[in-house]
Amino acid sequence: MITEEKKQWAIEQLREKNKELGRLPKKDDFDEPTRSRIKAFLGPWPRALEAAGLKEVKAKQKMKS
């Protein structure tokens, strides 16, 4: 079970790297263990960036009838 504390840790890692680099952090900006933990706690990379408030959440496109 992923705790809120673990999610907050991952979000903080992304936000700190964003401040440090002045751009959206890429997977390659982190070492393998940190990258793996972030993805485990927050999901795929785009969702992780969204969870950290660094990337706008994309609305799912509605299917045309």
Side-chain angles (χ1 to χ4, degrees):
M1 181 177 191
I2 298 171
T3 64
E4 194 60 34
E5 184 176 300
K6 289 178 180 178
K7 288 181 184 180
Q8 283 305 122
W9 173 87
I11 287 169
E12 190 59 32
Q13 296 300 306
L14 290 168
R15 288 180 179 169
E16 285 179 16
K17 189 63 77 171
N18 181 64
K19 282 184 185 179
E20 176 187 322
L21 299 173
R23 63 169 170 77
L24 284 178
K26 299 176 185 177
K27 290 184 265 187
D28 290 340
D29 294 325
F30 296 91
D31 61 25
E32 180 59 33
T34 302
R35 179 173 52 241
S36 294
R37 289 179 71 200
I38 290 170
K39 290 173 70 177
F41 301 155
L42 300 178
W45 203 253
R47 302 299 83 76
L49 295 175
E50 290 170 358
L54 301 176
K55 182 178 176 188
E56 186 175 323
V57 177
K58 289 187 178 181
K60 291 185 178 179
Q61 289 184 331
K62 293 182 181 178
M63 294 179 61
K64 294 183 179 180
S65 301

Short mmCIF file of all heavy atoms in Angstrom, two decimals:
data_model
loop_
_atom_site.label_atom_id
_atom_site.label_comp_id
_atom_site.label_asym_id
_atom_site.label_seq_id
_atom_site.Cartn_x
_atom_site.Cartn_y
_atom_site.Cartn_z
N MET A 1 0.84 -1.19 0.00
CA MET A 1 0.00 0.00 0.00
C MET A 1 0.88 1.25 0.00
O MET A 1 1.82 1.36 0.77
CB MET A 1 -0.90 -0.02 1.23
CG MET A 1 -1.83 1.14 1.32
SD MET A 1 -2.89 0.94 2.77
CE MET A 1 -4.05 2.22 2.44
N ILE A 2 0.56 2.15 -0.90
CA ILE A 2 1.33 3.39 -1.01
C ILE A 2 0.71 4.42 -0.07
O ILE A 2 -0.46 4.75 -0.17
CB ILE A 2 1.33 3.91 -2.45
CG1 ILE A 2 2.00 2.88 -3.36
CG2 ILE A 2 2.06 5.24 -2.54
CD1 ILE A 2 1.87 3.18 -4.82
N THR A 3 1.54 4.90 0.85
CA THR A 3 1.04 5.86 1.83
C THR A 3 1.11 7.28 1.27
O THR A 3 1.83 7.57 0.31
CB THR A 3 1.88 5.80 3.12
OG1 THR A 3 3.22 6.21 2.81
CG2 THR A 3 1.88 4.41 3.72
N GLU A 4 0.37 8.15 1.90
CA GLU A 4 0.38 9.56 1.52
C GLU A 4 1.78 10.14 1.72
O GLU A 4 2.23 10.99 0.95
CB GLU A 4 -0.65 10.33 2.35
CG GLU A 4 -0.95 11.70 1.81
CD GLU A 4 -1.51 11.69 0.39
OE1 GLU A 4 -2.26 10.76 0.03
OE2 GLU A 4 -1.19 12.62 -0.37
N GLU A 5 2.49 9.67 2.73
CA GLU A 5 3.85 10.13 2.99
C GLU A 5 4.78 9.80 1.83
O GLU A 5 5.62 10.63 1.43
CB GLU A 5 4.37 9.48 4.27
CG GLU A 5 5.74 9.96 4.70
CD GLU A 5 6.16 9.34 6.03
OE1 GLU A 5 5.46 9.54 7.04
OE2 GLU A 5 7.19 8.65 6.03
N LYS A 6 4.63 8.61 1.25
CA LYS A 6 5.46 8.22 0.11
C LYS A 6 5.13 9.07 -1.11
O LYS A 6 6.03 9.48 -1.85
CB LYS A 6 5.27 6.74 -0.21
CG LYS A 6 5.89 5.83 0.83
CD LYS A 6 5.64 4.38 0.51
CE LYS A 6 6.26 3.48 1.56
NZ LYS A 6 6.00 2.07 1.27
N LYS A 7 3.84 9.33 -1.33
CA LYS A 7 3.44 10.18 -2.45
C LYS A 7 4.02 11.58 -2.28
O LYS A 7 4.51 12.17 -3.24
CB LYS A 7 1.92 10.25 -2.55
CG LYS A 7 1.29 8.99 -3.05
CD LYS A 7 -0.22 9.16 -3.14
CE LYS A 7 -0.90 7.87 -3.56
NZ LYS A 7 -2.35 8.02 -3.64
N GLN A 8 3.96 12.11 -1.08
CA GLN A 8 4.48 13.46 -0.81
C GLN A 8 5.99 13.51 -1.03
O GLN A 8 6.51 14.49 -1.55
CB GLN A 8 4.14 13.91 0.61
CG GLN A 8 2.69 14.35 0.76
CD GLN A 8 2.31 15.43 -0.22
OE1 GLN A 8 1.38 15.27 -1.00
NE2 GLN A 8 3.01 16.55 -0.21
N TRP A 9 6.69 12.44 -0.65
CA TRP A 9 8.12 12.37 -0.89
C TRP A 9 8.42 12.48 -2.39
O TRP A 9 9.28 13.24 -2.82
CB TRP A 9 8.70 11.07 -0.33
CG TRP A 9 10.14 10.89 -0.69
CD1 TRP A 9 11.22 11.35 -0.01
CD2 TRP A 9 10.65 10.22 -1.85
NE1 TRP A 9 12.37 11.01 -0.69
CE2 TRP A 9 12.05 10.32 -1.81
CE3 TRP A 9 10.05 9.55 -2.92
CZ2 TRP A 9 12.86 9.77 -2.80
CZ3 TRP A 9 10.86 8.99 -3.91
CH2 TRP A 9 12.25 9.11 -3.84
N ALA A 10 7.68 11.69 -3.19
CA ALA A 10 7.89 11.68 -4.63
C ALA A 10 7.57 13.04 -5.25
O ALA A 10 8.32 13.54 -6.10
CB ALA A 10 7.04 10.58 -5.27
N ILE A 11 6.50 13.65 -4.81
CA ILE A 11 6.12 14.98 -5.30
C ILE A 11 7.20 15.99 -4.98
O ILE A 11 7.59 16.81 -5.82
CB ILE A 11 4.75 15.40 -4.72
CG1 ILE A 11 3.63 14.58 -5.39
CG2 ILE A 11 4.52 16.90 -4.87
CD1 ILE A 11 2.28 14.71 -4.73
N GLU A 12 7.74 15.92 -3.78
CA GLU A 12 8.78 16.85 -3.38
C GLU A 12 10.05 16.66 -4.21
O GLU A 12 10.70 17.64 -4.58
CB GLU A 12 9.10 16.67 -1.89
CG GLU A 12 9.99 17.74 -1.32
CD GLU A 12 9.44 19.15 -1.46
OE1 GLU A 12 8.21 19.34 -1.42
OE2 GLU A 12 10.26 20.08 -1.63
N GLN A 13 10.39 15.41 -4.53
CA GLN A 13 11.56 15.15 -5.38
C GLN A 13 11.40 15.84 -6.74
O GLN A 13 12.32 16.47 -7.25
CB GLN A 13 11.76 13.64 -5.58
CG GLN A 13 12.07 12.88 -4.33
CD GLN A 13 13.34 13.36 -3.66
OE1 GLN A 13 14.39 13.43 -4.27
NE2 GLN A 13 13.24 13.71 -2.40
N LEU A 14 10.21 15.70 -7.32
CA LEU A 14 9.94 16.31 -8.63
C LEU A 14 9.96 17.83 -8.56
O LEU A 14 10.53 18.50 -9.43
CB LEU A 14 8.59 15.83 -9.17
CG LEU A 14 8.55 14.36 -9.59
CD1 LEU A 14 7.13 13.91 -9.82
CD2 LEU A 14 9.40 14.14 -10.84
N ARG A 15 9.36 18.39 -7.52
CA ARG A 15 9.31 19.85 -7.39
C ARG A 15 10.70 20.44 -7.15
O ARG A 15 11.04 21.48 -7.72
CB ARG A 15 8.37 20.25 -6.27
CG ARG A 15 6.91 20.01 -6.63
CD ARG A 15 5.99 20.41 -5.53
NE ARG A 15 4.60 20.21 -5.92
CZ ARG A 15 3.58 20.28 -5.09
NH1 ARG A 15 3.78 20.54 -3.80
NH2 ARG A 15 2.35 20.09 -5.52
N GLU A 16 11.51 19.77 -6.34
CA GLU A 16 12.87 20.26 -6.08
C GLU A 16 13.71 20.23 -7.36
O GLU A 16 14.45 21.16 -7.64
CB GLU A 16 13.54 19.42 -4.99
CG GLU A 16 13.04 19.72 -3.61
CD GLU A 16 13.70 18.85 -2.54
OE1 GLU A 16 14.75 18.23 -2.82
OE2 GLU A 16 13.15 18.80 -1.43
N LYS A 17 13.58 19.16 -8.13
CA LYS A 17 14.34 19.04 -9.38
C LYS A 17 13.87 20.09 -10.38
O LYS A 17 14.68 20.67 -11.10
CB LYS A 17 14.20 17.64 -9.96
CG LYS A 17 15.10 17.33 -11.11
CD LYS A 17 16.57 17.37 -10.75
CE LYS A 17 17.03 16.16 -10.00
NZ LYS A 17 18.51 16.10 -9.84
N ASN A 18 12.58 20.38 -10.39
CA ASN A 18 12.03 21.41 -11.27
C ASN A 18 12.64 22.78 -10.94
O ASN A 18 13.06 23.51 -11.84
CB ASN A 18 10.50 21.45 -11.12
CG ASN A 18 9.86 22.47 -12.02
OD1 ASN A 18 9.93 22.36 -13.23
ND2 ASN A 18 9.24 23.47 -11.43
N LYS A 19 12.73 23.09 -9.66
CA LYS A 19 13.34 24.36 -9.23
C LYS A 19 14.82 24.40 -9.60
O LYS A 19 15.33 25.41 -10.08
CB LYS A 19 13.20 24.56 -7.72
CG LYS A 19 11.84 25.02 -7.29
CD LYS A 19 11.84 25.26 -5.80
CE LYS A 19 10.47 25.61 -5.29
NZ LYS A 19 10.45 25.82 -3.83
N GLU A 20 15.50 23.30 -9.36
CA GLU A 20 16.94 23.22 -9.63
C GLU A 20 17.25 23.41 -11.11
O GLU A 20 18.20 24.12 -11.47
CB GLU A 20 17.44 21.84 -9.16
CG GLU A 20 18.89 21.56 -9.45
CD GLU A 20 19.26 20.12 -9.12
OE1 GLU A 20 18.75 19.58 -8.10
OE2 GLU A 20 20.03 19.52 -9.88
N LEU A 21 16.45 22.78 -11.98
CA LEU A 21 16.73 22.79 -13.41
C LEU A 21 16.05 23.94 -14.16
O LEU A 21 16.46 24.30 -15.25
CB LEU A 21 16.28 21.46 -14.04
CG LEU A 21 16.95 20.20 -13.51
CD1 LEU A 21 16.28 18.97 -14.09
CD2 LEU A 21 18.44 20.22 -13.84
N GLY A 22 14.97 24.47 -13.59
CA GLY A 22 14.22 25.52 -14.27
C GLY A 22 13.41 25.01 -15.45
O GLY A 22 13.08 25.76 -16.36
N ARG A 23 13.10 23.72 -15.43
CA ARG A 23 12.29 23.08 -16.48
C ARG A 23 11.66 21.83 -15.90
O ARG A 23 11.99 21.41 -14.80
CB ARG A 23 13.16 22.73 -17.69
CG ARG A 23 14.25 21.72 -17.37
CD ARG A 23 14.91 21.19 -18.63
NE ARG A 23 16.10 20.41 -18.35
CZ ARG A 23 16.12 19.16 -17.90
NH1 ARG A 23 14.99 18.52 -17.64
NH2 ARG A 23 17.27 18.53 -17.69
N LEU A 24 10.77 21.23 -16.69
CA LEU A 24 10.18 19.97 -16.25
C LEU A 24 11.26 18.91 -16.11
O LEU A 24 12.10 18.76 -17.01
CB LEU A 24 9.14 19.46 -17.26
CG LEU A 24 7.79 20.16 -17.29
CD1 LEU A 24 6.92 19.55 -18.39
CD2 LEU A 24 7.10 20.08 -15.95
N PRO A 25 11.28 18.21 -14.99
CA PRO A 25 12.28 17.15 -14.84
C PRO A 25 11.98 15.97 -15.76
O PRO A 25 10.82 15.63 -15.99
CB PRO A 25 12.17 16.76 -13.37
CG PRO A 25 10.87 17.26 -12.91
CD PRO A 25 10.47 18.38 -13.80
N LYS A 26 13.02 15.39 -16.29
CA LYS A 26 12.92 14.19 -17.12
C LYS A 26 13.32 12.99 -16.28
O LYS A 26 14.01 13.14 -15.27
CB LYS A 26 13.85 14.31 -18.33
CG LYS A 26 13.54 15.46 -19.23
CD LYS A 26 14.56 15.56 -20.34
CE LYS A 26 14.32 16.78 -21.20
NZ LYS A 26 15.35 16.95 -22.24
N LYS A 27 12.93 11.83 -16.74
CA LYS A 27 13.30 10.61 -16.03
C LYS A 27 14.82 10.51 -15.87
O LYS A 27 15.31 10.10 -14.83
CB LYS A 27 12.77 9.38 -16.76
CG LYS A 27 11.26 9.23 -16.70
CD LYS A 27 10.82 7.97 -17.36
CE LYS A 27 10.43 8.24 -18.78
NZ LYS A 27 9.83 7.09 -19.46
N ASP A 28 15.54 10.90 -16.90
CA ASP A 28 17.01 10.80 -16.87
C ASP A 28 17.66 11.77 -15.88
O ASP A 28 18.86 11.67 -15.63
CB ASP A 28 17.58 11.04 -18.26
CG ASP A 28 17.27 9.90 -19.22
OD1 ASP A 28 16.96 8.79 -18.74
OD2 ASP A 28 17.35 10.13 -20.44
N ASP A 29 16.90 12.70 -15.34
CA ASP A 29 17.44 13.64 -14.35
C ASP A 29 17.59 13.00 -12.97
O ASP A 29 18.15 13.60 -12.06
CB ASP A 29 16.55 14.89 -14.24
CG ASP A 29 16.56 15.71 -15.53
OD1 ASP A 29 17.60 15.78 -16.19
OD2 ASP A 29 15.51 16.31 -15.84
N PHE A 30 17.08 11.78 -12.81
CA PHE A 30 17.12 11.08 -11.53
C PHE A 30 17.89 9.77 -11.68
O PHE A 30 17.90 9.18 -12.75
CB PHE A 30 15.69 10.75 -11.06
CG PHE A 30 14.85 11.96 -10.78
CD1 PHE A 30 14.06 12.52 -11.77
CD2 PHE A 30 14.87 12.55 -9.53
CE1 PHE A 30 13.29 13.64 -11.52
CE2 PHE A 30 14.10 13.68 -9.27
CZ PHE A 30 13.31 14.23 -10.26
N ASP A 31 18.49 9.33 -10.58
CA ASP A 31 19.12 8.02 -10.62
C ASP A 31 18.04 6.94 -10.66
O ASP A 31 16.87 7.21 -10.37
CB ASP A 31 20.10 7.83 -9.45
CG ASP A 31 19.44 7.93 -8.07
OD1 ASP A 31 18.22 7.67 -7.95
OD2 ASP A 31 20.15 8.25 -7.12
N GLU A 32 18.41 5.75 -11.03
CA GLU A 32 17.43 4.67 -11.22
C GLU A 32 16.58 4.38 -9.98
O GLU A 32 15.36 4.26 -10.10
CB GLU A 32 18.13 3.40 -11.71
CG GLU A 32 17.19 2.22 -11.92
CD GLU A 32 16.08 2.49 -12.94
OE1 GLU A 32 16.31 3.23 -13.90
OE2 GLU A 32 14.98 1.96 -12.74
N PRO A 33 17.18 4.26 -8.78
CA PRO A 33 16.34 3.98 -7.61
C PRO A 33 15.31 5.09 -7.34
O PRO A 33 14.15 4.79 -7.04
CB PRO A 33 17.34 3.88 -6.46
CG PRO A 33 18.64 3.55 -7.11
CD PRO A 33 18.61 4.24 -8.44
N THR A 34 15.71 6.34 -7.46
CA THR A 34 14.78 7.45 -7.21
C THR A 34 13.69 7.47 -8.27
O THR A 34 12.51 7.61 -7.95
CB THR A 34 15.54 8.79 -7.20
OG1 THR A 34 16.55 8.74 -6.19
CG2 THR A 34 14.60 9.95 -6.89
N ARG A 35 14.07 7.31 -9.52
CA ARG A 35 13.10 7.29 -10.61
C ARG A 35 12.09 6.17 -10.42
O ARG A 35 10.89 6.37 -10.57
CB ARG A 35 13.85 7.13 -11.94
CG ARG A 35 12.97 7.06 -13.15
CD ARG A 35 13.73 7.07 -14.47
NE ARG A 35 14.76 6.05 -14.54
CZ ARG A 35 16.06 6.32 -14.70
NH1 ARG A 35 16.49 7.55 -14.80
NH2 ARG A 35 16.93 5.33 -14.78
N SER A 36 12.57 5.00 -10.05
CA SER A 36 11.68 3.85 -9.85
C SER A 36 10.69 4.10 -8.71
O SER A 36 9.51 3.75 -8.82
CB SER A 36 12.49 2.59 -9.55
OG SER A 36 13.25 2.24 -10.67
N ARG A 37 11.17 4.71 -7.63
CA ARG A 37 10.29 4.98 -6.49
C ARG A 37 9.24 6.03 -6.87
O ARG A 37 8.07 5.88 -6.51
CB ARG A 37 11.10 5.47 -5.30
CG ARG A 37 11.93 4.35 -4.68
CD ARG A 37 12.76 4.83 -3.51
NE ARG A 37 11.90 5.10 -2.37
CZ ARG A 37 12.22 5.87 -1.35
NH1 ARG A 37 13.40 6.46 -1.31
NH2 ARG A 37 11.39 6.06 -0.36
N ILE A 38 9.65 7.07 -7.59
CA ILE A 38 8.69 8.09 -8.01
C ILE A 38 7.59 7.45 -8.85
O ILE A 38 6.39 7.68 -8.61
CB ILE A 38 9.39 9.23 -8.79
CG1 ILE A 38 10.27 10.06 -7.85
CG2 ILE A 38 8.36 10.12 -9.49
CD1 ILE A 38 11.19 11.05 -8.55
N LYS A 39 7.97 6.63 -9.82
CA LYS A 39 6.99 5.98 -10.68
C LYS A 39 6.12 4.99 -9.90
O LYS A 39 4.93 4.87 -10.17
CB LYS A 39 7.69 5.30 -11.85
CG LYS A 39 8.27 6.31 -12.85
CD LYS A 39 9.11 5.67 -13.92
CE LYS A 39 8.28 4.88 -14.87
NZ LYS A 39 9.06 4.31 -15.98
N ALA A 40 6.70 4.31 -8.93
CA ALA A 40 5.92 3.36 -8.13
C ALA A 40 4.88 4.09 -7.29
O ALA A 40 3.77 3.60 -7.09
CB ALA A 40 6.85 2.55 -7.23
N PHE A 41 5.24 5.26 -6.77
CA PHE A 41 4.33 5.99 -5.89
C PHE A 41 3.32 6.85 -6.64
O PHE A 41 2.22 7.07 -6.14
CB PHE A 41 5.13 6.89 -4.93
CG PHE A 41 6.10 6.15 -4.04
CD1 PHE A 41 7.20 6.80 -3.53
CD2 PHE A 41 5.94 4.82 -3.73
CE1 PHE A 41 8.12 6.15 -2.70
CE2 PHE A 41 6.84 4.14 -2.91
CZ PHE A 41 7.93 4.80 -2.40
N LEU A 42 3.68 7.33 -7.84
CA LEU A 42 2.81 8.28 -8.56
C LEU A 42 2.33 7.79 -9.91
O LEU A 42 1.49 8.45 -10.53
CB LEU A 42 3.54 9.62 -8.74
CG LEU A 42 3.96 10.34 -7.47
CD1 LEU A 42 4.70 11.62 -7.82
CD2 LEU A 42 2.76 10.64 -6.58
N GLY A 43 2.85 6.68 -10.40
CA GLY A 43 2.42 6.17 -11.69
C GLY A 43 3.34 6.58 -12.82
O GLY A 43 4.46 7.04 -12.57
N PRO A 44 2.89 6.42 -14.07
CA PRO A 44 3.71 6.76 -15.22
C PRO A 44 4.21 8.21 -15.14
O PRO A 44 3.58 9.06 -14.49
CB PRO A 44 2.78 6.58 -16.42
CG PRO A 44 1.70 5.69 -15.92
CD PRO A 44 1.56 5.97 -14.45
N TRP A 45 5.32 8.49 -15.80
CA TRP A 45 5.97 9.80 -15.68
C TRP A 45 5.03 10.98 -15.92
O TRP A 45 5.01 11.91 -15.11
CB TRP A 45 7.19 9.87 -16.60
CG TRP A 45 8.16 10.90 -16.12
CD1 TRP A 45 8.40 12.11 -16.70
CD2 TRP A 45 8.98 10.85 -14.96
NE1 TRP A 45 9.33 12.81 -15.97
CE2 TRP A 45 9.71 12.05 -14.89
CE3 TRP A 45 9.17 9.89 -13.96
CZ2 TRP A 45 10.61 12.32 -13.88
CZ3 TRP A 45 10.07 10.17 -12.96
CH2 TRP A 45 10.78 11.36 -12.92
N PRO A 46 4.22 10.99 -16.99
CA PRO A 46 3.32 12.14 -17.18
C PRO A 46 2.35 12.33 -16.00
O PRO A 46 2.08 13.45 -15.59
CB PRO A 46 2.57 11.82 -18.47
CG PRO A 46 3.47 10.87 -19.20
CD PRO A 46 4.16 10.07 -18.12
N ARG A 47 1.85 11.22 -15.45
CA ARG A 47 0.93 11.32 -14.30
C ARG A 47 1.68 11.82 -13.07
O ARG A 47 1.13 12.55 -12.25
CB ARG A 47 0.30 9.96 -13.98
CG ARG A 47 -0.49 9.29 -15.09
CD ARG A 47 -1.71 10.03 -15.62
NE ARG A 47 -1.41 11.03 -16.62
CZ ARG A 47 -1.11 10.80 -17.91
NH1 ARG A 47 -1.05 9.58 -18.37
NH2 ARG A 47 -0.87 11.79 -18.74
N ALA A 48 2.93 11.42 -12.92
CA ALA A 48 3.74 11.87 -11.78
C ALA A 48 3.93 13.39 -11.85
O ALA A 48 3.80 14.09 -10.84
CB ALA A 48 5.09 11.16 -11.77
N LEU A 49 4.23 13.90 -13.05
CA LEU A 49 4.40 15.35 -13.22
C LEU A 49 3.09 16.08 -12.93
O LEU A 49 3.09 17.16 -12.33
CB LEU A 49 4.89 15.67 -14.63
CG LEU A 49 6.29 15.16 -14.98
CD1 LEU A 49 6.59 15.44 -16.45
CD2 LEU A 49 7.35 15.77 -14.09
N GLU A 50 1.98 15.50 -13.34
CA GLU A 50 0.67 16.09 -13.04
C GLU A 50 0.40 16.09 -11.54
O GLU A 50 -0.07 17.09 -11.00
CB GLU A 50 -0.44 15.32 -13.78
CG GLU A 50 -0.41 15.51 -15.28
CD GLU A 50 -1.34 14.56 -16.01
OE1 GLU A 50 -2.00 13.70 -15.38
OE2 GLU A 50 -1.40 14.67 -17.26
N ALA A 51 0.71 15.00 -10.88
CA ALA A 51 0.49 14.90 -9.43
C ALA A 51 1.29 15.95 -8.67
O ALA A 51 0.85 16.46 -7.64
CB ALA A 51 0.85 13.50 -8.93
N ALA A 52 2.47 16.29 -9.19
CA ALA A 52 3.33 17.28 -8.55
C ALA A 52 2.93 18.70 -8.92
O ALA A 52 3.53 19.66 -8.43
CB ALA A 52 4.79 17.03 -8.94
N GLY A 53 1.92 18.83 -9.79
CA GLY A 53 1.47 20.16 -10.19
C GLY A 53 2.41 20.84 -11.18
O GLY A 53 2.37 22.05 -11.34
N LEU A 54 3.24 20.05 -11.85
CA LEU A 54 4.20 20.61 -12.79
C LEU A 54 3.71 20.57 -14.23
O LEU A 54 4.25 21.24 -15.09
CB LEU A 54 5.53 19.85 -12.69
CG LEU A 54 6.19 19.86 -11.31
CD1 LEU A 54 7.45 19.00 -11.33
CD2 LEU A 54 6.52 21.28 -10.89
N LYS A 55 2.69 19.78 -14.47
CA LYS A 55 2.16 19.62 -15.81
C LYS A 55 0.64 19.65 -15.71
O LYS A 55 0.06 19.06 -14.79
CB LYS A 55 2.63 18.28 -16.39
CG LYS A 55 2.19 18.01 -17.78
CD LYS A 55 2.75 16.68 -18.27
CE LYS A 55 2.20 16.38 -19.65
NZ LYS A 55 2.56 15.04 -20.09
N GLU A 56 0.02 20.32 -16.65
CA GLU A 56 -1.45 20.42 -16.64
C GLU A 56 -2.06 19.05 -16.91
O GLU A 56 -1.60 18.30 -17.76
CB GLU A 56 -1.89 21.40 -17.73
CG GLU A 56 -3.38 21.69 -17.70
CD GLU A 56 -3.76 22.77 -18.71
OE1 GLU A 56 -2.99 23.72 -18.89
OE2 GLU A 56 -4.84 22.62 -19.30
N VAL A 57 -3.10 18.75 -16.16
CA VAL A 57 -3.80 17.48 -16.33
C VAL A 57 -4.61 17.56 -17.61
O VAL A 57 -5.38 18.49 -17.82
CB VAL A 57 -4.74 17.20 -15.13
CG1 VAL A 57 -5.52 15.91 -15.35
CG2 VAL A 57 -3.96 17.14 -13.84
N LYS A 58 -4.39 16.60 -18.49
CA LYS A 58 -5.12 16.57 -19.76
C LYS A 58 -6.48 15.90 -19.55
O LYS A 58 -6.56 14.83 -18.95
CB LYS A 58 -4.34 15.80 -20.83
CG LYS A 58 -3.12 16.52 -21.32
CD LYS A 58 -2.51 15.78 -22.49
CE LYS A 58 -1.32 16.53 -23.02
NZ LYS A 58 -0.72 15.85 -24.17
N ALA A 59 -7.49 16.56 -20.05
CA ALA A 59 -8.83 15.97 -19.99
C ALA A 59 -8.93 14.91 -21.08
O ALA A 59 -8.39 15.08 -22.17
CB ALA A 59 -9.89 17.04 -20.19
N LYS A 60 -9.59 13.82 -20.77
CA LYS A 60 -9.77 12.78 -21.78
C LYS A 60 -10.70 13.31 -22.85
O LYS A 60 -11.70 13.96 -22.56
CB LYS A 60 -10.35 11.52 -21.14
CG LYS A 60 -9.40 10.82 -20.22
CD LYS A 60 -10.00 9.53 -19.73
CE LYS A 60 -9.02 8.80 -18.84
NZ LYS A 60 -9.58 7.56 -18.32
N GLN A 61 -10.35 13.03 -24.09
CA GLN A 61 -11.19 13.46 -25.18
C GLN A 61 -12.47 12.65 -25.19
O GLN A 61 -12.47 11.45 -24.96
CB GLN A 61 -10.47 13.28 -26.52
CG GLN A 61 -9.34 14.23 -26.73
CD GLN A 61 -8.76 14.03 -28.13
OE1 GLN A 61 -8.80 12.95 -28.69
NE2 GLN A 61 -8.21 15.10 -28.65
N LYS A 62 -13.57 13.36 -25.44
CA LYS A 62 -14.86 12.67 -25.53
C LYS A 62 -14.97 12.03 -26.90
O LYS A 62 -14.59 12.60 -27.91
CB LYS A 62 -16.01 13.67 -25.34
CG LYS A 62 -16.07 14.24 -23.95
CD LYS A 62 -17.24 15.18 -23.82
CE LYS A 62 -17.28 15.78 -22.42
NZ LYS A 62 -18.36 16.73 -22.25
N MET A 63 -15.49 10.83 -26.90
CA MET A 63 -15.67 10.13 -28.17
C MET A 63 -16.87 10.70 -28.89
O MET A 63 -17.91 10.97 -28.29
CB MET A 63 -15.85 8.63 -27.94
CG MET A 63 -14.60 7.98 -27.38
SD MET A 63 -14.81 6.21 -27.08
CE MET A 63 -15.17 5.62 -28.70
N LYS A 64 -16.70 10.90 -30.18
CA LYS A 64 -17.81 11.42 -30.99
C LYS A 64 -18.77 10.28 -31.31
O LYS A 64 -18.35 9.17 -31.61
CB LYS A 64 -17.29 12.05 -32.28
CG LYS A 64 -16.48 13.29 -32.02
CD LYS A 64 -16.03 13.93 -33.31
CE LYS A 64 -15.23 15.20 -33.01
NZ LYS A 64 -14.80 15.86 -34.22
N SER A 65 -20.06 10.60 -31.25
CA SER A 65 -21.07 9.58 -31.54
C SER A 65 -21.27 9.43 -33.02
O SER A 65 -21.18 10.32 -33.77
CB SER A 65 -22.40 9.96 -30.91
OG SER A 65 -22.24 10.09 -29.53
#
